[in-house]
Amino acid sequence: MELNQVKQVVLKVKEKKPLIHHLTNLVVTNFTANGTIAYGASPIMANAVEEVEEMVRVANGLVINMGTITPEMVTAMEKAGKEANRVGVPIILDPVGVGATTYRTEVVKRMMDTFKPAVIRGNAAEMAQLAGIPWQIKGVDSVGEGGDRFEVAKKVVEKYQTVAVITGEKDIVTDGERTAVIANGHPLLSTVTGTGCLATAIIGATIAVEEDAFIASVAALTYYEIAAEKAAAKTQGPGTFAAYLMDELYQLPISDIDTMAKIEWVKK
Amino acid sequence: MELNQVKQVVLKVKEKKPLIHHLTNLVVTNFTANGTIAYGASPIMANAVEEVEEMVRVANGLVINMGTITPEMVTAMEKAGKEANRVGVPIILDPVGVGATTYRTEVVKRMMDTFKPAVIRGNAAEMAQLAGIPWQIKGVDSVGEGGDRFEVAKKVVEKYQTVAVITGEKDIVTDGERTAVIANGHPLLSTVTGTGCLATAIIGATIAVEEDAFIASVAALTYYEIAAEKAAAKTQGPGTFAAYLMDELYQLPISDIDTMAKIEWVKK
Amino acid sequence: MELNQVKQVVLKVKEKKPLIHHLTNLVVTNFTANGTIAYGASPIMANAVEEVEEMVRVANGLVINMGTITPEMVTAMEKAGKEANRVGVPIILDPVGVGATTYRTEVVKRMMDTFKPAVIRGNAAEMAQLAGIPWQIKGVDSVGEGGDRFEVAKKVVEKYQTVAVITGEKDIVTDGERTAVIANGHPLLSTVTGTGCLATAIIGATIAVEEDAFIASVAALTYYEIAAEKAAAKTQGPGTFAAYLMDELYQLPISDIDTMAKIEWVKK
């Protein structure tokens, strides 16, 4: 039953082609725009303080990614986030590298006082930082094992009243009530910059068409990571993998979810 | 006869390797720089207000693309545009997303009071906005059918004393006197971000070596879209298509214009 | 014997996975981040003045690339460079386009008064500019033949107390005492934007694990250019070449250095 829901949600993205406003980092701008299109949505990447509110009002979803924040970008994010909340446009936050510097930690705190995301997606270290649980961080990448990832996800849900998504070898998605663990994906994903950011963008495109942000997040991640598995099967290195990943996001038959999805519904 | 002219113009780019200064958006910087090189020209992407005028003076052409404008970038564009006009460096303007926000509409108006482009290229909605003709806009993409595209192109020519290029399934190029309709291209172009911006960049490289901006625009678009057709024949998705598009821009034999060009010369 | 050292140094990067902080240009951000990962290191691209010093302190190396400098970016570079010197994090400088505008010439002068790089890598024209030797520049690309490249390299070493790397058809690496000429590489490298910047990034990742910056630079360049040769053998154009280059950087067997390296040790 849930698998049918997952498939329906992905199909809805491809049918409705939602318009997704991105305030994202300089490293992945092109990659996430292309991934958004390949998946079936339409990206806007405008980031001037002068126009972000107006852009948000015509958008169906908002992606906020902290990868290369500057004070100007943070102002744009706060304006856009606030307006998105006001007009009911769902937000996904990617707290890239939070905890790596004092600046990032302060910025994310201030942003969380300004607007409320429907979903927060990060790696274990970033999410642990948001949850206030100690975790080792190396630059913007999560390393080591740290504490219990389920506990981290649960704390993030409680603290921010959001769906929490922790990606890694296995992904955890939870809204506090329901939890899913997704075991799809491929090691080559970690050899291309921005594949985490693209996971965020794909979820952002999906919550734009599906109000149930838990199901939307599970559906988006599952589809994305099956696409990665199929892309990986065609290649042996990160360069061609990145190209095939776009191809697969574009053409992956929805029926592959039936045969390839590895979702464990921990609690219903 | 015109087809020979088209071929000669493209060959001139590859022979003269003009230096093209780009003031462009964050999403397509890498993609348009690579496309410019593959086509046979040399890109400079410097955008500091402190140096744009000096860069323009050593360049053979200037590309101004409004995709992710900020006030600082607009200042750089105005300085560069003014200097380009002064020293006779031809400008192409890509009014990305104009009409989508008040800010963009005001910026383009101010820029058009500051410098004069030799060519303006946009989709139907953007060009209709410039022409003052109502058209439906969805984010930065043109949707729906709106009014007559020839009328829009004609109005842009009259209002801005420029060559107008409207790209879409069929492209319209006109200088008011002469008009061409190009039916080359491929649907995969719309699955990769920045393919419109790259069309602009390719035209920008071509008007840098050919004073007749009408013929230059027709030649550039035809070559670019034949390259897209050949790239599409090698792939089934946007990721590999984008890579093959660069390959084709680099290696496409000029004689393919003879066999593949679909140009209708509406009026001579 | 030196070839064994070269191989050991490259293996050390892949084993230690150093964290490399990049303050680089907008054109190559994604490409150099991906190249850094493929090579075996970990990139951070954060560039806010508010956090660069803190990022530098957790990094193992710092890459400073002047491609699209703005005053804010220069401030971030100076802060990061100074802090890197203070805490012993090795810096590589890529003086992109120096000499092309007065602004760039002034900025590089000021930066060289603020911090000291372990390596400077540029094309012949950029390095000649740093050395104070006249050379023809066309935009950000080096053209023509100019003076003697060995003399240029030697002057840069003397003036800045650094290892000098001049890339071109043949590359020169020298620390004043030792000099190597590397004849690997492929013409397709010049058809993709940022391949010079990526050479800088690869060297930057290598000096992060090997204190002998001369050997590190030779090792990094040799490995990178052999990867380019192998990538070129699989393709005929710049788009697919760029993808295969990443694949090769990721998977190139270290033993290929034995069979393919073309290093001439000019002076021991």
Side-chain angles (χ1 to χ4, degrees):
Chain A
M1 194 193 74
E2 286 103 341
L3 215 54
N4 266 335
Q5 259 187 298
V6 161
K7 285 158 58 183
Q8 289 312 314
V9 166
V10 172
L11 284 175
K12 221 193 281 183
V13 175
K14 289 171 186 281
E15 182 203 323
K16 293 205 173 173
K17 301 186 182 309
L19 191 60
I20 309 300
H21 187 196
H22 294 246
L23 291 167
T24 192
N25 74 68
L26 296 173
V27 190
V28 305
T29 325
N30 182 266
F31 184 68
T32 52
N34 275 330
T36 299
I37 299 172
Y39 182 51
S42 227
I44 319 178
M45 319 300 279
N47 57 11
V49 171
E50 286 75 8
E51 64 175 352
V52 287
E53 289 162 303
E54 210 173 335
M55 279 295 188
V56 159
R57 286 197 290 272
V58 299
N60 305 110
L62 175 63
V63 174
I64 293 184
N65 177 307
M66 290 176 53
T68 55
I69 42 167
T70 56
E72 294 85 339
M73 194 55 154
V74 171
T75 304
M77 287 170 172
E78 289 181 332
K79 273 179 179 276
K82 214 167 171 177
E83 184 68 3
N85 276 176
R86 195 181 70 80
V87 297
V89 167
I91 304 170
I92 183 163
L93 174 76
D94 193 328
V96 181
V98 68
T101 64
T102 315
Y103 178 59
R104 270 161 209 263
T105 305
E106 286 170 3
V107 163
V108 84
K109 194 177 174 313
R110 215 176 69 203
M111 290 212 294
M112 290 305 87
D113 289 341
T114 309
F115 61 83
K116 188 186 160 322
V119 181
I120 303 179
R121 186 217 67 89
N123 62 33
E126 290 156 355
M127 296 299 270
Q129 172 70 29
L130 286 185
I133 294 172
W135 206 284
Q136 193 191 344
I137 289 182
K138 184 185 179 191
V140 293
D141 290 318
S142 172
V143 295
E145 280 308 304
D148 182 69
R149 304 200 312 152
F150 287 96
E151 196 195 317
V152 167
K154 208 182 134 195
K155 275 265 173 72
V156 169
V157 171
E158 279 167 14
K159 200 167 164 188
Y160 302 101
Q161 302 291 311
T162 186
V163 168
V165 179
I166 302 182
T167 50
E169 207 178 319
K170 290 187 182 188
D171 314 310
I172 296 170
V173 180
T174 184
D175 66 357
E177 295 290 312
R178 298 165 293 175
T179 300
V181 177
I182 303 165
N184 289 104
H186 193 277
L188 277 173
L189 280 170
S190 68
T191 67
V192 178
T193 196
T195 50
C197 304
L198 182 49
T200 298
I202 298 288
I203 297 172
T206 313
I207 58 174
V209 302
E210 169 56 51
E211 257 188 296
D212 183 341
F214 169 76
I215 282 293
S217 299
V218 173
L221 270 184
T222 304
Y223 187 81
Y224 175 58
E225 294 183 350
I226 291 175
E229 291 175 23
K230 295 197 83 171
K234 296 185 175 170
T235 177
Q236 295 191 318
T240 49
F241 171 70
Y244 283 120
L245 180 58
M246 294 295 152
D247 286 9
E248 292 300 331
L249 276 174
Y250 178 71
Q251 72 193 7
L252 187 73
I254 202 76
S255 56
D256 282 4
I257 289 181
D258 287 319
T259 51
M260 297 181 70
K262 295 179 189 162
I263 309 171
E264 188 192 343
W265 305 95
V266 179
K267 213 176 173 182
K268 301 189 207 192
Chain B
M1 191 194 74
E2 285 103 339
L3 216 54
N4 267 336
Q5 258 187 299
V6 161
K7 285 159 58 183
Q8 288 313 315
V9 167
V10 172
L11 284 175
K12 220 193 283 184
V13 175
K14 288 171 187 281
E15 182 203 324
K16 295 207 172 172
K17 300 185 183 313
L19 191 60
I20 309 301
H21 189 198
H22 293 247
L23 292 167
T24 190
N25 75 67
L26 296 173
V27 189
V28 306
T29 325
N30 182 266
F31 184 68
T32 52
N34 275 329
T36 299
I37 298 172
Y39 182 51
S42 228
I44 318 177
M45 318 300 278
N47 57 12
V49 171
E50 285 76 8
E51 65 175 353
V52 288
E53 288 159 305
E54 210 172 335
M55 279 295 188
V56 158
R57 287 196 291 270
V58 298
N60 305 109
L62 175 61
V63 173
I64 294 184
N65 176 308
M66 291 178 52
T68 55
I69 42 167
T70 56
E72 293 85 338
M73 194 55 154
V74 171
T75 303
M77 287 170 172
E78 289 180 333
K79 271 178 178 279
K82 214 167 170 176
E83 185 68 2
N85 276 175
R86 194 182 70 82
V87 298
V89 167
I91 305 170
I92 182 164
L93 174 76
D94 192 328
V96 181
V98 67
T101 64
T102 315
Y103 178 58
R104 271 161 209 263
T105 305
E106 285 171 2
V107 163
V108 84
K109 194 178 175 312
R110 215 175 69 203
M111 290 210 296
M112 289 305 86
D113 289 341
T114 308
F115 61 84
K116 188 185 160 323
V119 181
I120 304 179
R121 186 217 66 90
N123 61 34
E126 291 156 355
M127 297 298 270
Q129 172 70 29
L130 287 184
I133 295 172
W135 205 284
Q136 191 190 346
I137 288 182
K138 185 186 178 190
V140 294
D141 290 318
S142 171
V143 295
E145 281 306 306
D148 182 69
R149 303 198 314 150
F150 286 96
E151 194 195 317
V152 167
K154 208 182 134 197
K155 275 264 172 73
V156 169
V157 171
E158 280 166 15
K159 199 165 164 187
Y160 302 101
Q161 302 292 312
T162 187
V163 167
V165 178
I166 303 182
T167 50
E169 207 178 318
K170 291 189 182 187
D171 314 311
I172 296 170
V173 180
T174 184
D175 66 356
E177 294 292 311
R178 298 164 292 173
T179 300
V181 176
I182 303 165
N184 289 104
H186 193 277
L188 276 172
L189 281 169
S190 68
T191 67
V192 178
T193 195
T195 49
C197 303
L198 182 50
T200 298
I202 297 288
I203 297 173
T206 314
I207 59 174
V209 301
E210 170 56 53
E211 258 189 296
D212 183 342
F214 169 75
I215 282 293
S217 300
V218 172
L221 270 183
T222 304
Y223 187 81
Y224 176 57
E225 294 183 350
I226 291 175
E229 290 174 23
K230 295 197 83 171
K234 295 185 175 172
T235 179
Q236 295 190 316
T240 49
F241 172 70
Y244 283 120
L245 180 59
M246 295 295 152
D247 286 8
E248 292 300 332
L249 276 173
Y250 179 69
Q251 71 193 8
L252 187 73
I254 202 77
S255 57
D256 282 3
I257 289 179
D258 287 319
T259 51
M260 297 181 70
K262 295 179 188 160
I263 309 170
E264 187 191 345
W265 305 95
V266 178
K267 215 173 171 184
K268 299 190 211 195
Chain C
M1 193 194 73
E2 285 103 341
L3 216 54
N4 267 336
Q5 258 186 299
V6 161
K7 285 159 59 183
Q8 289 311 314
V9 167
V10 172
L11 285 175
K12 219 193 284 185
V13 175
K14 290 172 185 279
E15 182 203 323
K16 295 206 171 172
K17 300 186 182 310
L19 191 60
I20 309 301
H21 189 196
H22 293 247
L23 292 167
T24 192
N25 74 67
L26 296 172
V27 190
V28 305
T29 325
N30 182 266
F31 184 69
T32 53
N34 275 330
T36 300
I37 299 172
Y39 182 51
S42 228
I44 318 178
M45 319 301 279
N47 57 12
V49 171
E50 285 77 6
E51 65 174 353
V52 288
E53 288 161 304
E54 210 173 335
M55 280 295 187
V56 158
R57 287 197 291 272
V58 299
N60 306 110
L62 175 62
V63 174
I64 294 183
N65 177 307
M66 290 176 55
T68 54
I69 42 167
T70 56
E72 293 86 337
M73 193 56 154
V74 171
T75 303
M77 287 170 172
E78 288 180 333
K79 272 177 178 276
K82 215 168 171 177
E83 184 68 3
N85 276 175
R86 194 182 69 82
V87 297
V89 167
I91 305 170
I92 182 163
L93 174 75
D94 192 329
V96 182
V98 68
T101 64
T102 315
Y103 178 59
R104 271 162 208 263
T105 306
E106 286 171 2
V107 163
V108 85
K109 195 176 175 313
R110 214 175 71 202
M111 290 210 294
M112 289 306 87
D113 289 341
T114 309
F115 62 84
K116 188 187 160 321
V119 182
I120 304 179
R121 186 217 67 87
N123 61 34
E126 290 156 355
M127 297 298 270
Q129 172 71 29
L130 286 184
I133 294 172
W135 205 284
Q136 192 191 346
I137 289 183
K138 184 186 178 189
V140 294
D141 290 319
S142 172
V143 295
E145 280 308 304
D148 182 67
R149 303 199 313 150
F150 287 96
E151 194 195 320
V152 167
K154 208 182 134 197
K155 276 265 173 71
V156 169
V157 171
E158 280 165 16
K159 198 166 166 189
Y160 302 102
Q161 302 292 310
T162 187
V163 169
V165 179
I166 302 183
T167 50
E169 206 178 320
K170 290 186 182 189
D171 314 311
I172 296 171
V173 180
T174 183
D175 65 357
E177 295 291 311
R178 300 165 291 175
T179 299
V181 176
I182 304 165
N184 290 104
H186 193 277
L188 276 173
L189 281 170
S190 69
T191 66
V192 177
T193 194
T195 50
C197 303
L198 182 49
T200 298
I202 298 287
I203 298 172
T206 313
I207 59 175
V209 301
E210 169 58 51
E211 258 188 296
D212 183 341
F214 169 75
I215 283 294
S217 299
V218 173
L221 270 183
T222 304
Y223 187 81
Y224 175 58
E225 295 183 349
I226 292 175
E229 291 174 22
K230 295 197 82 170
K234 296 185 172 170
T235 178
Q236 295 190 318
T240 49
F241 172 71
Y244 283 120
L245 180 59
M246 295 295 152
D247 285 9
E248 292 300 330
L249 277 174
Y250 178 71
Q251 73 193 6
L252 186 74
I254 201 76
S255 57
D256 281 4
I257 289 180
D258 286 320
T259 52
M260 298 181 69
K262 296 178 188 160
I263 309 171
E264 187 191 346
W265 306 94
V266 177
K267 213 175 172 183
K268 300 190 209 195

